[in-house]
Amino acid sequence: MRPVPAGESVSEPTATPSVDDPGSPPRRRRGWRIALVALLALALLGAGGVGAGALYLRSVEKDVERVDAFTGVPAENRPPVVARDAMNIMILGSDSRDPERTEGSRTDTIILAHLPRDRKSAQLVSIPRDTWVRVPRSADGRHGGRTAKINAAYAWGGIPLMVQTVEEFTRVHVDHVAVVDFAGFQEIIDALGGVDITVDHRFTSIHPPLRTFPAGRQTMDGATALDYSRQRKQFPDGDFARIRHQQQVIRAILDKAAGGGILTSPGKLNDFVRAASASVSVDREMSLLDLATELRGLRGGNLTFVTSPSRGTGRVGTESVVFADEQKSEAFYDAVRRDATAEIVRAAR
């Protein structure tokens, strides 16, 4: 099936700027283009061999913006590294073009990506942006030191305070940080020629041009997939539905990128990787080349998506929040700390 063009309804089913860095210039406004920039380079490495891919990735990596993710994070307050050969990457993002987005420096998407020591799989843990947690005090002493929605940490203290907040909540040591723009994945999907998504239930978008998404498998272009990933108000579980849709799109992008079509077209491959890397920011120590080399065999079937354990939603004063299930969260994140992959995967079922 052809990709559905922007502005046209999906009608043929087949068989958490962006994340704004307080104090940064406007050009640094970033969000999330895809779950993990390193995963975007995997297809490249599988295409022409690690050697050729490495040379190309080095040229791409020079253009990726670096951020001070750990500056001012008190070393004595950080959780210890338990499984030394595993890796945990905090992915922050925002839908900078979401028609409903009216607030400033908040991160709409928070993912803790766990890469096991054998690098044969990846577990992506979505932490709902409204999760009610304790936010440590910001470096300037003006904010935090109290409970709040987890995404408030970014507004109050940028990436370093988000690192502190996620680490205190999960007790998992964050090794690296990636900040990418989910709204911008429209260009990535178009470079791929569209992605295949299976819609569970028919629904209509609340955003112009008010696309209808019938139940079933369909090919979506970038604008359509972006619209699909934004929807939440039509579903009983609201933001949890939005998280599921984002997870579907991430898997679809990776599967399409790893397929034969883009790998055999240098032009398409270049458009794909350049579109992804153009607005991705990572911490100063992350080597995309090393990570992509380690993960070059990873595909959508090796990804497990998990949502952080919760007791559901409720209200604190005037705010609608998500309450963490403390007992289940402790057991779950203990498995992440220990790199107990089987236990993490079981939690997703």
Side-chain angles (χ1 to χ4, degrees):
M1 179 184 296
R2 65 178 177 85
V4 179
E8 178 178 321
S9 296
V10 182
S11 58
E12 298 179 31
T14 67
T16 323
S18 46
V19 177
D20 302 310
D21 186 356
S24 294
R27 70 179 185 83
R28 286 197 169 192
R29 299 176 72 185
R30 297 290 186 251
W32 103 330
R33 287 206 173 205
I34 190 177
L36 186 58
V37 65
L39 299 184
L40 298 180
L42 301 184
L44 168 67
L45 293 173
V50 174
L55 291 175
Y56 181 69
L57 186 54
R58 283 196 184 97
S59 72
V60 173
E61 188 166 16
K62 291 189 301 183
D63 297 329
V64 174
E65 186 175 352
R66 300 285 173 165
V67 296
D68 292 316
F70 302 100
T71 301
V73 178
E76 64 274 13
N77 294 342
R78 303 194 67 190
V81 175
V82 177
R84 295 195 174 275
D85 293 328
M87 183 183 296
N88 299 299
I89 303 174
M90 183 177 73
I91 303 165
L92 301 177
S94 164
D95 185 353
S96 59
R97 285 178 265 170
D98 187 343
E100 297 178 39
R101 184 176 175 82
T102 57
E103 51 192 20
S105 302
R106 297 286 177 123
T107 177
D108 298 329
T109 301
I110 305 164
I111 291 179
L112 187 63
H114 177 73
L115 308 180
R117 58 172 58 88
D118 63 12
R119 300 295 194 266
K120 293 181 179 179
S121 64
Q123 294 79 49
L124 277 63
V125 184
S126 295
I127 302 175
R129 60 186 179 179
D130 293 339
T131 302
W132 194 248
V133 301
R134 181 185 178 278
V135 178
R137 189 163 296 280
S138 60
D140 62 11
R142 297 172 55 193
H143 304 288
R146 65 178 180 86
T147 52
K149 293 182 180 182
I150 194 168
N151 69 344
Y154 195 93
W156 293 344
I159 297 173
L161 189 59
M162 278 299 305
V163 170
Q164 293 181 69
T165 303
V166 169
E167 287 191 334
E168 182 172 305
F169 171 56
T170 64
R171 302 309 302 163
V172 172
H173 186 91
V174 173
D175 300 298
H176 293 291
V177 174
V179 186
V180 281
D181 184 2
F182 196 54
F185 76 176
Q186 178 172 331
E187 291 82 4
I188 293 174
I189 292 174
D190 287 339
L192 290 171
V195 292
D196 295 329
I197 301 290
T198 299
V199 179
D200 289 338
H201 304 287
R202 178 186 177 92
F203 69 92
T204 298
S205 169
I206 63 173
H207 304 130
L210 306 179
R211 296 176 178 86
T212 294
F213 295 89
R217 185 176 177 85
Q218 51 222 254
T219 301
M220 300 183 189
D221 70 354
T224 305
L226 177 59
D227 191 19
Y228 175 75
S229 69
R230 285 173 171 158
Q231 305 308 309
R232 61 189 176 92
K233 293 188 175 180
Q234 305 93 313
F235 304 95
D237 53 352
D239 206 46
F240 290 98
R242 187 180 68 93
I243 289 173
R244 288 196 304 275
H245 293 168
Q246 288 182 350
Q247 291 171 344
Q248 280 184 285
V249 173
I250 293 168
R251 188 190 299 276
I253 290 173
L254 185 57
D255 282 340
K256 188 66 176 286
I262 191 171
L263 300 182
T264 58
S265 172
K268 288 184 179 180
L269 183 58
N270 182 69
D271 290 345
F272 170 66
V273 176
R274 294 289 178 179
S277 63
S279 66
V280 171
S281 302
V282 298
D283 68 82
R284 297 192 180 280
E285 303 303 318
M286 181 185 284
S287 169
L288 303 184
L289 175 58
D290 290 347
L291 193 58
T293 302
E294 292 180 16
L295 298 176
R296 62 183 179 273
L298 197 63
R299 299 294 181 263
N302 306 119
L303 296 183
T304 300
F305 293 94
V306 190
T307 300
S308 188
S310 74
R311 294 185 285 111
T313 60
R315 302 198 72 83
V316 176
T318 60
E319 297 190 273
S320 176
V321 306
V322 173
F323 294 110
D325 187 314
E326 296 179 359
Q327 184 174 0
K328 289 183 178 180
S329 292
E330 172 56 34
F332 174 76
Y333 288 113
D334 179 63
V336 176
R337 287 191 291 272
R338 293 183 288 105
D339 191 29
T341 305
E343 295 180 35
I344 301 172
V345 172
R346 278 199 299 272
R349 296 172 181 165

Short mmCIF file of all heavy atoms in Angstrom, two decimals, residues 133-182:
data_model
loop_
_atom_site.label_atom_id
_atom_site.label_comp_id
_atom_site.label_asym_id
_atom_site.label_seq_id
_atom_site.Cartn_x
_atom_site.Cartn_y
_atom_site.Cartn_z
N VAL A 133 6.66 12.22 41.68
CA VAL A 133 7.91 11.78 42.32
C VAL A 133 8.50 12.93 43.12
O VAL A 133 8.06 14.08 43.02
CB VAL A 133 8.94 11.32 41.26
CG1 VAL A 133 8.39 10.17 40.42
CG2 VAL A 133 9.38 12.49 40.37
N ARG A 134 9.53 12.60 43.86
CA ARG A 134 10.30 13.65 44.52
C ARG A 134 11.33 14.19 43.54
O ARG A 134 12.09 13.44 42.94
CB ARG A 134 11.01 13.13 45.76
CG ARG A 134 11.81 14.23 46.48
CD ARG A 134 12.63 13.71 47.63
NE ARG A 134 13.39 14.79 48.24
CZ ARG A 134 14.57 15.24 47.79
NH1 ARG A 134 15.12 14.69 46.72
NH2 ARG A 134 15.19 16.23 48.41
N VAL A 135 11.33 15.51 43.37
CA VAL A 135 12.32 16.16 42.52
C VAL A 135 13.37 16.81 43.43
O VAL A 135 13.03 17.63 44.28
CB VAL A 135 11.67 17.24 41.62
CG1 VAL A 135 12.72 17.96 40.78
CG2 VAL A 135 10.60 16.61 40.73
N PRO A 136 14.64 16.43 43.28
CA PRO A 136 15.68 17.06 44.11
C PRO A 136 15.75 18.57 43.87
O PRO A 136 15.25 19.07 42.87
CB PRO A 136 16.97 16.37 43.62
CG PRO A 136 16.51 15.08 43.02
CD PRO A 136 15.17 15.39 42.40
N ARG A 137 16.40 19.26 44.79
CA ARG A 137 16.50 20.71 44.65
C ARG A 137 17.41 21.05 43.48
O ARG A 137 18.44 20.42 43.25
CB ARG A 137 17.05 21.34 45.94
CG ARG A 137 16.98 22.88 45.93
CD ARG A 137 17.11 23.44 47.32
NE ARG A 137 15.99 23.05 48.16
CZ ARG A 137 14.79 23.60 48.16
NH1 ARG A 137 14.53 24.58 47.30
NH2 ARG A 137 13.86 23.19 48.98
N SER A 138 17.03 22.07 42.72
CA SER A 138 17.81 22.51 41.57
C SER A 138 19.11 23.14 42.02
O SER A 138 19.26 23.56 43.17
CB SER A 138 17.00 23.51 40.73
OG SER A 138 16.65 24.65 41.51
N ALA A 139 20.07 23.24 41.09
CA ALA A 139 21.38 23.77 41.42
C ALA A 139 21.32 25.20 41.93
O ALA A 139 22.13 25.59 42.79
CB ALA A 139 22.30 23.68 40.19
N ASP A 140 20.37 25.99 41.43
CA ASP A 140 20.27 27.37 41.90
C ASP A 140 19.49 27.50 43.20
O ASP A 140 19.35 28.60 43.74
CB ASP A 140 19.64 28.27 40.82
CG ASP A 140 18.21 27.86 40.45
OD1 ASP A 140 17.62 27.01 41.16
OD2 ASP A 140 17.69 28.39 39.45
N GLY A 141 18.97 26.36 43.70
CA GLY A 141 18.26 26.37 44.98
C GLY A 141 16.87 26.95 44.94
O GLY A 141 16.19 27.02 45.97
N ARG A 142 16.38 27.32 43.77
CA ARG A 142 15.08 28.00 43.67
C ARG A 142 13.92 27.03 43.49
O ARG A 142 12.78 27.40 43.75
CB ARG A 142 15.11 28.99 42.51
CG ARG A 142 16.12 30.11 42.66
CD ARG A 142 16.22 30.93 41.39
NE ARG A 142 14.92 31.45 40.96
CZ ARG A 142 14.68 31.97 39.77
NH1 ARG A 142 15.66 32.02 38.86
NH2 ARG A 142 13.49 32.42 39.47
N HIS A 143 14.20 25.81 43.04
CA HIS A 143 13.12 24.88 42.73
C HIS A 143 13.43 23.49 43.28
O HIS A 143 14.55 23.20 43.67
CB HIS A 143 12.91 24.80 41.21
CG HIS A 143 12.64 26.10 40.55
ND1 HIS A 143 11.45 26.77 40.68
CD2 HIS A 143 13.42 26.87 39.74
CE1 HIS A 143 11.49 27.89 39.99
NE2 HIS A 143 12.68 27.98 39.41
N GLY A 144 12.42 22.66 43.23
CA GLY A 144 12.61 21.27 43.63
C GLY A 144 12.65 21.10 45.13
O GLY A 144 12.18 21.95 45.90
N GLY A 145 13.20 19.96 45.57
CA GLY A 145 13.19 19.65 46.99
C GLY A 145 11.81 19.27 47.47
O GLY A 145 11.51 19.35 48.65
N ARG A 146 10.95 18.83 46.53
CA ARG A 146 9.58 18.47 46.87
C ARG A 146 9.02 17.52 45.82
O ARG A 146 9.65 17.28 44.79
CB ARG A 146 8.71 19.72 46.97
CG ARG A 146 8.53 20.48 45.65
CD ARG A 146 7.61 21.67 45.84
NE ARG A 146 7.39 22.45 44.63
CZ ARG A 146 6.44 22.18 43.73
NH1 ARG A 146 5.66 21.10 43.87
NH2 ARG A 146 6.27 22.95 42.67
N THR A 147 7.83 17.01 46.07
CA THR A 147 7.19 16.14 45.10
C THR A 147 6.53 16.97 43.99
O THR A 147 6.04 18.08 44.24
CB THR A 147 6.13 15.24 45.76
OG1 THR A 147 5.24 16.06 46.52
CG2 THR A 147 6.78 14.20 46.66
N ALA A 148 6.54 16.42 42.79
CA ALA A 148 5.97 17.09 41.63
C ALA A 148 5.90 16.09 40.49
O ALA A 148 6.36 14.95 40.62
CB ALA A 148 6.83 18.30 41.22
N LYS A 149 5.32 16.50 39.37
CA LYS A 149 5.37 15.67 38.18
C LYS A 149 6.82 15.55 37.73
O LYS A 149 7.57 16.52 37.77
CB LYS A 149 4.53 16.27 37.06
CG LYS A 149 3.03 16.28 37.34
CD LYS A 149 2.26 16.87 36.17
CE LYS A 149 0.76 16.88 36.44
NZ LYS A 149 0.00 17.41 35.29
N ILE A 150 7.18 14.37 37.26
CA ILE A 150 8.59 14.12 36.96
C ILE A 150 9.12 15.05 35.87
O ILE A 150 10.30 15.43 35.90
CB ILE A 150 8.80 12.63 36.57
CG1 ILE A 150 10.30 12.29 36.58
CG2 ILE A 150 8.15 12.31 35.24
CD1 ILE A 150 10.57 10.79 36.50
N ASN A 151 8.27 15.46 34.93
CA ASN A 151 8.79 16.31 33.86
C ASN A 151 9.02 17.75 34.31
O ASN A 151 9.63 18.54 33.58
CB ASN A 151 7.90 16.26 32.62
CG ASN A 151 6.55 16.91 32.81
OD1 ASN A 151 6.12 17.17 33.93
ND2 ASN A 151 5.86 17.17 31.71
N ALA A 152 8.60 18.10 35.54
CA ALA A 152 8.91 19.43 36.07
C ALA A 152 10.40 19.59 36.29
O ALA A 152 10.92 20.72 36.26
CB ALA A 152 8.16 19.67 37.38
N ALA A 153 11.11 18.48 36.50
CA ALA A 153 12.55 18.56 36.76
C ALA A 153 13.28 19.24 35.62
O ALA A 153 14.23 20.00 35.83
CB ALA A 153 13.11 17.16 36.99
N TYR A 154 12.83 19.01 34.39
CA TYR A 154 13.51 19.62 33.25
C TYR A 154 13.32 21.13 33.24
O TYR A 154 14.25 21.89 32.98
CB TYR A 154 13.00 19.02 31.93
CG TYR A 154 13.92 19.35 30.78
CD1 TYR A 154 14.94 18.50 30.42
CD2 TYR A 154 13.77 20.56 30.10
CE1 TYR A 154 15.79 18.82 29.38
CE2 TYR A 154 14.63 20.89 29.07
CZ TYR A 154 15.64 20.03 28.71
OH TYR A 154 16.50 20.36 27.70
N ALA A 155 12.11 21.57 33.54
CA ALA A 155 11.83 23.01 33.56
C ALA A 155 12.63 23.69 34.67
O ALA A 155 13.05 24.84 34.53
CB ALA A 155 10.34 23.25 33.75
N TRP A 156 12.83 22.99 35.77
CA TRP A 156 13.49 23.59 36.94
C TRP A 156 15.01 23.52 36.90
O TRP A 156 15.67 24.36 37.49
CB TRP A 156 13.00 22.90 38.21
CG TRP A 156 11.56 23.16 38.50
CD1 TRP A 156 10.77 24.13 37.98
CD2 TRP A 156 10.73 22.43 39.41
NE1 TRP A 156 9.50 24.06 38.50
CE2 TRP A 156 9.44 23.02 39.39
CE3 TRP A 156 10.95 21.33 40.25
CZ2 TRP A 156 8.38 22.55 40.16
CZ3 TRP A 156 9.89 20.86 41.02
CH2 TRP A 156 8.63 21.47 40.97
N GLY A 157 15.54 22.52 36.24
CA GLY A 157 17.00 22.37 36.29
C GLY A 157 17.63 21.72 35.08
O GLY A 157 18.77 21.27 35.16
N GLY A 158 16.89 21.67 33.96
CA GLY A 158 17.46 21.13 32.75
C GLY A 158 17.81 19.65 32.85
O GLY A 158 17.30 18.92 33.70
N ILE A 159 18.70 19.21 31.97
CA ILE A 159 19.05 17.80 31.90
C ILE A 159 19.67 17.28 33.20
O ILE A 159 19.31 16.19 33.67
CB ILE A 159 19.98 17.54 30.70
CG1 ILE A 159 19.25 17.87 29.39
CG2 ILE A 159 20.46 16.10 30.68
CD1 ILE A 159 20.13 17.80 28.16
N PRO A 160 20.60 18.01 33.83
CA PRO A 160 21.19 17.48 35.07
C PRO A 160 20.15 17.17 36.15
O PRO A 160 20.26 16.14 36.83
CB PRO A 160 22.14 18.59 35.51
CG PRO A 160 22.55 19.25 34.23
CD PRO A 160 21.29 19.25 33.40
N LEU A 161 19.15 18.03 36.31
CA LEU A 161 18.14 17.75 37.33
C LEU A 161 17.25 16.58 36.90
O LEU A 161 16.77 15.82 37.76
CB LEU A 161 17.29 18.99 37.61
CG LEU A 161 16.36 18.87 38.83
CD1 LEU A 161 17.16 18.58 40.10
CD2 LEU A 161 15.53 20.14 39.01
N MET A 162 17.03 16.40 35.59
CA MET A 162 16.30 15.23 35.12
C MET A 162 17.08 13.96 35.44
O MET A 162 16.51 12.95 35.86
CB MET A 162 16.04 15.31 33.62
CG MET A 162 14.84 16.15 33.23
SD MET A 162 13.26 15.55 33.89
CE MET A 162 13.24 13.86 33.30
N VAL A 163 18.40 13.99 35.25
CA VAL A 163 19.23 12.84 35.59
C VAL A 163 19.09 12.51 37.07
O VAL A 163 18.85 11.35 37.45
CB VAL A 163 20.71 13.11 35.25
CG1 VAL A 163 21.61 12.01 35.83
CG2 VAL A 163 20.92 13.19 33.75
N GLN A 164 19.19 13.52 37.93
CA GLN A 164 19.06 13.29 39.36
C GLN A 164 17.69 12.72 39.72
O GLN A 164 17.58 11.81 40.55
CB GLN A 164 19.28 14.61 40.13
CG GLN A 164 20.68 15.16 40.04
CD GLN A 164 20.80 16.44 40.84
OE1 GLN A 164 20.74 16.44 42.07
NE2 GLN A 164 20.98 17.55 40.14
N THR A 165 16.65 13.27 39.11
CA THR A 165 15.29 12.86 39.43
C THR A 165 15.02 11.42 39.00
O THR A 165 14.47 10.62 39.78
CB THR A 165 14.27 13.81 38.78
OG1 THR A 165 14.52 15.15 39.20
CG2 THR A 165 12.84 13.43 39.16
N VAL A 166 15.42 11.08 37.79
CA VAL A 166 15.22 9.71 37.29
C VAL A 166 16.05 8.72 38.11
O VAL A 166 15.59 7.63 38.45
CB VAL A 166 15.55 9.62 35.79
CG1 VAL A 166 15.61 8.16 35.32
CG2 VAL A 166 14.50 10.38 34.98
N GLU A 167 17.27 9.10 38.44
CA GLU A 167 18.11 8.20 39.23
C GLU A 167 17.55 8.01 40.63
O GLU A 167 17.58 6.89 41.17
CB GLU A 167 19.54 8.73 39.30
CG GLU A 167 20.31 8.58 38.00
CD GLU A 167 21.80 8.86 38.15
OE1 GLU A 167 22.18 9.62 39.08
OE2 GLU A 167 22.57 8.34 37.33
N GLU A 168 17.04 9.07 41.23
CA GLU A 168 16.48 8.92 42.58
C GLU A 168 15.21 8.09 42.54
O GLU A 168 14.96 7.27 43.44
CB GLU A 168 16.17 10.30 43.17
CG GLU A 168 15.63 10.23 44.60
CD GLU A 168 15.50 11.59 45.26
OE1 GLU A 168 16.53 12.32 45.31
OE2 GLU A 168 14.40 11.93 45.73
N PHE A 169 14.41 8.25 41.50
CA PHE A 169 13.15 7.51 41.38
C PHE A 169 13.41 6.02 41.11
O PHE A 169 12.76 5.15 41.70
CB PHE A 169 12.32 8.11 40.25
CG PHE A 169 11.10 7.31 39.88
CD1 PHE A 169 10.13 6.99 40.83
CD2 PHE A 169 10.91 6.87 38.57
CE1 PHE A 169 9.00 6.25 40.49
CE2 PHE A 169 9.79 6.13 38.22
CZ PHE A 169 8.84 5.82 39.19
N THR A 170 14.35 5.71 40.23
CA THR A 170 14.57 4.32 39.81
C THR A 170 15.70 3.64 40.55
O THR A 170 15.76 2.41 40.58
CB THR A 170 14.91 4.27 38.31
OG1 THR A 170 16.15 4.94 38.07
CG2 THR A 170 13.80 4.93 37.48
N ARG A 171 16.62 4.42 41.11
CA ARG A 171 17.87 3.91 41.70
C ARG A 171 18.72 3.19 40.65
O ARG A 171 19.52 2.31 40.97
CB ARG A 171 17.61 3.00 42.89
CG ARG A 171 16.83 3.65 44.02
CD ARG A 171 17.41 4.99 44.45
NE ARG A 171 18.81 4.87 44.89
CZ ARG A 171 19.64 5.92 44.99
NH1 ARG A 171 19.22 7.13 44.67
NH2 ARG A 171 20.88 5.74 45.41
N VAL A 172 18.52 3.56 39.39
CA VAL A 172 19.32 3.03 38.28
C VAL A 172 20.32 4.11 37.86
O VAL A 172 19.94 5.27 37.66
CB VAL A 172 18.42 2.64 37.08
CG1 VAL A 172 19.27 2.29 35.86
CG2 VAL A 172 17.51 1.48 37.45
N HIS A 173 21.57 3.71 37.72
CA HIS A 173 22.61 4.66 37.29
C HIS A 173 22.45 4.97 35.81
O HIS A 173 22.43 4.06 34.97
CB HIS A 173 24.00 4.05 37.55
CG HIS A 173 25.13 4.99 37.27
ND1 HIS A 173 25.66 5.82 38.23
CD2 HIS A 173 25.82 5.24 36.13
CE1 HIS A 173 26.64 6.54 37.70
NE2 HIS A 173 26.76 6.20 36.42
N VAL A 174 22.34 6.25 35.46
CA VAL A 174 22.22 6.69 34.07
C VAL A 174 23.62 6.88 33.51
O VAL A 174 24.40 7.70 34.00
CB VAL A 174 21.40 7.99 33.97
CG1 VAL A 174 21.43 8.53 32.54
CG2 VAL A 174 19.96 7.75 34.42
N ASP A 175 23.94 6.14 32.45
CA ASP A 175 25.27 6.22 31.85
C ASP A 175 25.37 7.30 30.78
O ASP A 175 26.41 7.95 30.64
CB ASP A 175 25.64 4.87 31.23
CG ASP A 175 25.67 3.75 32.25
OD1 ASP A 175 26.50 3.84 33.19
OD2 ASP A 175 24.86 2.81 32.13
N HIS A 176 24.29 7.46 30.02
CA HIS A 176 24.32 8.44 28.94
C HIS A 176 22.94 9.08 28.79
O HIS A 176 21.94 8.56 29.30
CB HIS A 176 24.72 7.80 27.61
CG HIS A 176 26.15 7.33 27.59
ND1 HIS A 176 27.22 8.19 27.59
CD2 HIS A 176 26.67 6.06 27.58
CE1 HIS A 176 28.33 7.50 27.57
NE2 HIS A 176 28.04 6.21 27.56
N VAL A 177 22.91 10.19 28.05
CA VAL A 177 21.65 10.92 27.81
C VAL A 177 21.55 11.25 26.33
O VAL A 177 22.54 11.66 25.70
CB VAL A 177 21.59 12.22 28.64
CG1 VAL A 177 20.36 13.03 28.26
CG2 VAL A 177 21.58 11.90 30.13
N ALA A 178 20.36 11.07 25.77
CA ALA A 178 20.07 11.49 24.40
C ALA A 178 18.82 12.35 24.42
O ALA A 178 17.86 12.04 25.11
CB ALA A 178 19.88 10.29 23.48
N VAL A 179 18.84 13.46 23.69
CA VAL A 179 17.69 14.36 23.58
C VAL A 179 17.34 14.47 22.11
O VAL A 179 18.15 14.93 21.31
CB VAL A 179 18.00 15.75 24.17
CG1 VAL A 179 16.75 16.62 24.18
CG2 VAL A 179 18.58 15.62 25.57
N VAL A 180 16.15 14.05 21.73
CA VAL A 180 15.78 13.99 20.32
C VAL A 180 14.33 14.45 20.12
O VAL A 180 13.55 14.45 21.06
CB VAL A 180 15.98 12.56 19.78
CG1 VAL A 180 17.44 12.30 19.48
CG2 VAL A 180 15.49 11.53 20.75
N ASP A 181 13.99 14.86 18.90
CA ASP A 181 12.70 15.51 18.66
C ASP A 181 11.69 14.57 18.00
O ASP A 181 11.84 14.23 16.83
CB ASP A 181 12.91 16.73 17.76
CG ASP A 181 11.62 17.51 17.54
OD1 ASP A 181 10.59 17.15 18.11
OD2 ASP A 181 11.67 18.50 16.78
N PHE A 182 10.68 14.19 18.77
CA PHE A 182 9.68 13.26 18.26
C PHE A 182 8.86 13.88 17.14
O PHE A 182 8.49 13.20 16.19
CB PHE A 182 8.77 12.82 19.41
CG PHE A 182 7.96 11.61 19.10
CD1 PHE A 182 8.56 10.45 18.67
CD2 PHE A 182 6.59 11.61 19.26
CE1 PHE A 182 7.82 9.32 18.39
CE2 PHE A 182 5.83 10.49 18.99
CZ PHE A 182 6.45 9.34 18.56
#
